[in-house]
Amino acid sequence: MASCNPSGCCDGVTAKLTIFFFGCYCKVPLSHGLLAAQERDYPEWPNRAGMRYRASYDPNILEMAPFFLLPSSFPKREFERVVKLQPLVNELTHRIAHNYEFLKECLKNTIKVDDFTARLWKIYETLQTEGVTQEVSLGLVRSDVMLSQCMAGTCSTCRNPPYVTCHQVEVNTIASGFGHLGPSSALIQRHDDRRRTHSYMMPENTALADLCGGMITAWEMYSNPKAVIMFVVEDVTYNICDQRFHEYEIRSKRPDIYVIRKNLTQLSKATLTDDKRLIIDDCEVAVIYFRAGYEPGHYPTEAEWDARLSMERSRAIKCPSIHYHLAGTKKVQQAVASKGVVEKFLQPEEALLVKQIFTGLYTLDKGEMGDRAVKMAIDNPEKFVLKPQREGGGNNLYGNEIKEELERIKDSSEREAYILMDRIQPPLQNNYVVRPREPVRLVETVSELGIFGVCIGTAEKIVVNKFAGHMLRTKLSNVNEGGVAAGLGALDSVFLFE
Ligand code: ADP
Ligand code: MG
């Protein structure tokens, strides 16, 4: 599906084309004195951009979230392209989420072999049978893209220098984080005097205000000034600053709106009134913002599943509602990239634009197409990523792991729990990674840009649909996945160049 693959202009897995975009504003490596000046400021950052880490967890201690000293270069053309595209990505996601038949067809095999997706599906089916109480969905989505580098630049999207195009990694419909830490990283990086003159090259980032604005709009649509916005959180929250600043933003914009935080276990005590109002601790809940509930570990017992069902049954506006959650599964993403599918949801010219950011996605379902994909991956595992139906990082398989897993499951329906994707090869850059208690290190990096979107509406009508800011995560080039909390990735921002 990738627009540049068929013409053969992508350089494939082996090329190591480092693009020294940094030349456009500063030279790497930096002088010793400059680095030392930077280091003096780091201890102040946890107040605004802090994290807790699994290995050293202490609820009373925040450590600086890892970040890159310099913003990473990103072509303005590609940045503007994905920003402009976001309302279409929102609309596509919204329409898919509201198409029962499509979701059913996509997930019918997956739910036979993947218990977690099957549990989510069961909730969805229950609601379809009982009838949906709250027609409005709040989508706070994030479309993640990577630059894909091309050598010859002969295809239609990456014909011109710097011979790169954006390819979508995934669309997140639940717990799309970094609405606070994304913009914060630019504040940290702008702190350095030398780049202030170039600050216009670091685009304004209104992610936090826009995402919280979406929650406030949904709260207003619920029409009960006494009802609260509820964040559903993990038992232990590592990415605490990111979450808390969403809460502070809502409070500062609308001091009359009360925000509460509950985990799924606490929510098993919530009750539903006869007219399906969700009540917890004597508060009526207007909006439910899930920052948890996307992985099996968040549901240790049946009580947590019961809590999720109660919330879905309620008239609270959910972010996401169960069908939005299902629309964000990897299997649905793969099915959407199949021939002729996007056209079912968008106008032909819009579909064309969205499809340009897709890379190859392949079904592993039993059958001829699935068999072909299995063979292709076993023959060239380094060209692909093998993805189960999981969110939150650290679940995908790469290289030899793909070969071993597919050899093991190729004749079993277990393979239907996975999808296969072309591995995107982003251009490399050099940057300084700053991590707590470690010396600043110059490393080789690749970046992933997240574009936020807000979409509010019912099956019939979308009332809000907009681009809502961005975030950039950068990781060491030699790691497969760069979770920020895991320490392999770090906060970053874009420095646009033409
Ligand atoms: P999750 O839901 O766990 O975030 P993703 O699909 O976003 O799943 O994959 C996690 C990470 O794996 C991404 O952030 C990216 O670093 C890497 N990754 C995923 N898909 C690809 C791909 N097609 N090419 C290269 N890297 C990928
Ligand atoms: Mg992801």
Side-chain angles (χ1 to χ4, degrees), residues 299-317:
Y299 302 84
T301 68
E302 285 303 305
E304 289 76 18
W305 282 112
D306 292 345
R308 179 76 190 261
L309 179 58
S310 287
M311 287 187 273
E312 297 298 334
R313 277 180 169 145
S314 79
R315 64 172 57 221
I317 299 176

Side-chain angles (χ1 to χ4, degrees), residues 170 330 387 391 393 396 398 421-422 424 448 475 481:
E170 67 159 345
K330 307 281 189 282
K387 299 189 174 187
E391 302 290 326
N396 300 334
Y398 300 85
M421 186 172 186
D422 282 346
I424 304 164
E448 182 172 352
K475 64 178 182 182
E481 294 191 23

Side-chain angles (χ1 to χ4, degrees), residues 424-442:
I424 304 164
Q425 297 294 326
L428 308 175
Q429 302 194 42
N430 292 322
N431 205 340
Y432 290 94
V433 64
V434 185
R435 304 190 56 212
R437 294 184 308 279
E438 284 183 17
V440 178
R441 272 191 306 145
L442 184 61

Side-chain angles (χ1 to χ4, degrees), residues 278-333:
L278 185 75
I279 311 290
I280 178 112
D281 293 348
D282 297 328
C283 297
E284 179 175 339
V285 180
V287 175
I288 304 174
Y289 173 53
F290 284 96
R291 288 295 292 244
Y294 54 81
E295 63 171 44
H298 296 160
Y299 302 84
T301 68
E302 285 303 305
E304 289 76 18
W305 282 112
D306 292 345
R308 179 76 190 261
L309 179 58
S310 287
M311 287 187 273
E312 297 298 334
R313 277 180 169 145
S314 79
R315 64 172 57 221
I317 299 176
K318 273 86 56 187
C319 173
S321 45
I322 191 78
H323 42 291
Y324 246 89
H325 187 171
L326 288 164
T329 54
K330 307 281 189 282
K331 181 63 197 174
V332 171
Q333 186 192 0

Side-chain angles (χ1 to χ4, degrees), residues 31 62 77 92 174 249 283 329 353 392:
S31 74
L62 276 180
R77 175 195 73 194
L92 178 62
I174 182 163
E249 173 74 15
C283 297
T329 54
L353 293 174

Side-chain angles (χ1 to χ4, degrees), residues 100-113:
Y100 171 78
E101 288 305 326
F102 180 72
L103 289 179
K104 188 173 175 184
E105 183 58 28
C106 290
L107 295 170
K108 66 175 194 256
N109 294 331
T110 315
I111 57 178
K112 287 188 198 141
V113 287

